Amino acid sequence: MKLRKSIAAVAVVVLLALGAAVSYQREDSPRGDSAQSNPAGHYLESPLGATRYRAFGDPGRPTVVLIHGFNGYLESWSPNIDALVHDGYRVVAYDFWGRGLSSRPRVDLSLAVFHDQLALLLEHLGTTRVVLMGSSFGCVIAADYAQKHPESVDKLVLVGPAGWPSEHDTQWIKRPVLGDLLFHFAGRQLLRPKVEAYFHGRPVPWAMDTWDRYAADSGFTRAALSTLRFSPVTDYTEGWRRLGTFDKPILFIWGKQDVSFPYSNRDKVATLIPHAQVIGIDEAAHWVNIEQAAAVNEAIAEFL
């Protein structure tokens, strides 16, 4: 009897895995209908696909590049762009791989892949000196790029930074089959509560609606799982340690009520990156740049 149940369970798992595999193969381009209904932006073509980006302000001004977070998208910087342009900057924002209206390439989404996407975009723009501003996992991408190209990065602004390990066990994500099945059949259901928790108060409707729209595109959950597996989203400790040798100005902006990567990690920043400035914003969680945009914009303006 037990053997029959075991065989049945294995058969179910195999069938589900086959179903997920077939579904993955039938994925459409994420730029299709969504891009036509929301054409704002330009597309940079590359061997891995297309990167959607937008540029704001005078091209002759100093450039600030905005890199959104793990669950983010280009528009998640909307509350901050006008303030930066008003202060005299050219602002460039883009969707990194698997998010927004950029492509969902079928590769392991490692930090090196995200680095190359950013490098290609900057080359395309003809920009040799920039300020990099990241949010959440975008902070990890920004820090990594700055360490590899210190001659090109004048300053770093890191908002609600990811990459700080916690006691929560996420190793199951890396297990073959199990993680794939869960993310394929329930990925959005798993991720949406985490996005809602990016806010200390009530979730901001436009931010959640935009996330829902992009998360519904084919390939989103596959890209999210790949990023968790192959990039240091939850543990960039050694990278932060290396950033301590980056001898240019660094500003961390943290929501004091952040539950994704708590503000208490500022103590680690003080140890690993002692020359960095840390500002805590009250009444804000992980998406502090949306929830307390005025305070964040003021802190950025003073730093820059």
Side-chain angles (χ1 to χ4, degrees), residues 38-107:
N38 184 6
H42 305 283
Y43 290 90
L44 172 61
E45 299 291 342
S46 73
L48 289 186
T51 295
R52 180 181 68 135
Y53 72 93
R54 294 191 67 186
F56 308 83
D58 186 343
R61 298 286 187 176
T63 300
V64 176
V65 178
L66 307 178
I67 311 171
H68 64 72
F70 177 84
N71 271 304
Y73 39 81
L74 187 157
E75 292 88 349
S76 60
W77 291 107
S78 296
N80 318 108
I81 290 172
D82 287 347
L84 285 164
V85 172
H86 181 268
D87 286 342
Y89 294 94
R90 178 198 191 195
V91 179
V92 177
Y94 71 102
D95 291 322
F96 62 63
W97 296 128
R99 278 63 171 188
L101 293 176
S102 286
S103 296
R104 282 85 156 111
R106 295 176 182 276
V107 298

Side-chain angles (χ1 to χ4, degrees), residues 218-236:
S218 59
F220 173 79
T221 54
R222 173 177 53 78
L225 177 59
S226 183
T227 307
L228 286 173
R229 281 178 167 166
F230 299 105
S231 286
V233 178
T234 58
D235 189 351
Y236 187 61

Side-chain angles (χ1 to χ4, degrees), residues 46-245:
S46 73
L48 289 186
T51 295
R52 180 181 68 135
Y53 72 93
R54 294 191 67 186
F56 308 83
D58 186 343
R61 298 286 187 176
T63 300
V64 176
V65 178
L66 307 178
I67 311 171
H68 64 72
F70 177 84
N71 271 304
Y73 39 81
L74 187 157
E75 292 88 349
S76 60
W77 291 107
S78 296
N80 318 108
I81 290 172
D82 287 347
L84 285 164
V85 172
H86 181 268
D87 286 342
Y89 294 94
R90 178 198 191 195
V91 179
V92 177
Y94 71 102
D95 291 322
F96 62 63
W97 296 128
R99 278 63 171 188
L101 293 176
S102 286
S103 296
R104 282 85 156 111
R106 295 176 182 276
V107 298
D108 296 342
L109 291 177
S110 65
L111 189 53
V113 172
F114 291 114
H115 163 275
D116 292 347
Q117 182 189 25
L118 175 56
L120 189 64
L121 177 61
L122 295 181
E123 180 183 359
H124 171 72
L125 295 169
T127 303
T128 58
R129 300 291 294 272
V130 296
V131 172
L132 292 182
M133 187 179 306
S135 168
S136 188
F137 177 58
C139 298
V140 173
I141 297 173
D144 172 71
Y145 189 90
Q147 293 171 64
K148 293 176 179 174
H149 306 277
E151 74 287 349
S152 300
V153 180
D154 291 328
K155 296 183 179 182
L156 282 174
V157 180
L158 307 173
V159 183
W164 306 97
S166 70
E167 297 177 355
H168 299 296
D169 180 20
T170 58
Q171 290 304 307
W172 63 268
I173 292 174
K174 299 182 179 180
R175 295 173 186 169
V177 182
L178 176 59
D180 297 273
L181 290 176
L182 284 172
F183 263 72
H184 180 71
F185 292 106
R188 278 183 283 168
Q189 291 83 352
L190 288 170
L191 291 173
R192 198 178 196 281
K194 296 184 180 298
V195 181
E196 292 176 343
Y198 286 177
F199 299 98
H200 174 57
R202 296 180 62 184
V204 175
W206 69 261
M208 295 305 305
D209 290 345
T210 307
W211 185 88
D212 285 333
R213 185 167 71 251
Y214 291 144
D217 276 345
S218 59
F220 173 79
T221 54
R222 173 177 53 78
L225 177 59
S226 183
T227 307
L228 286 173
R229 281 178 167 166
F230 299 105
S231 286
V233 178
T234 58
D235 189 351
Y236 187 61
T237 303
E238 290 307 310
W240 294 131
R241 193 187 312 280
R242 291 191 299 271
L243 189 64
T245 65

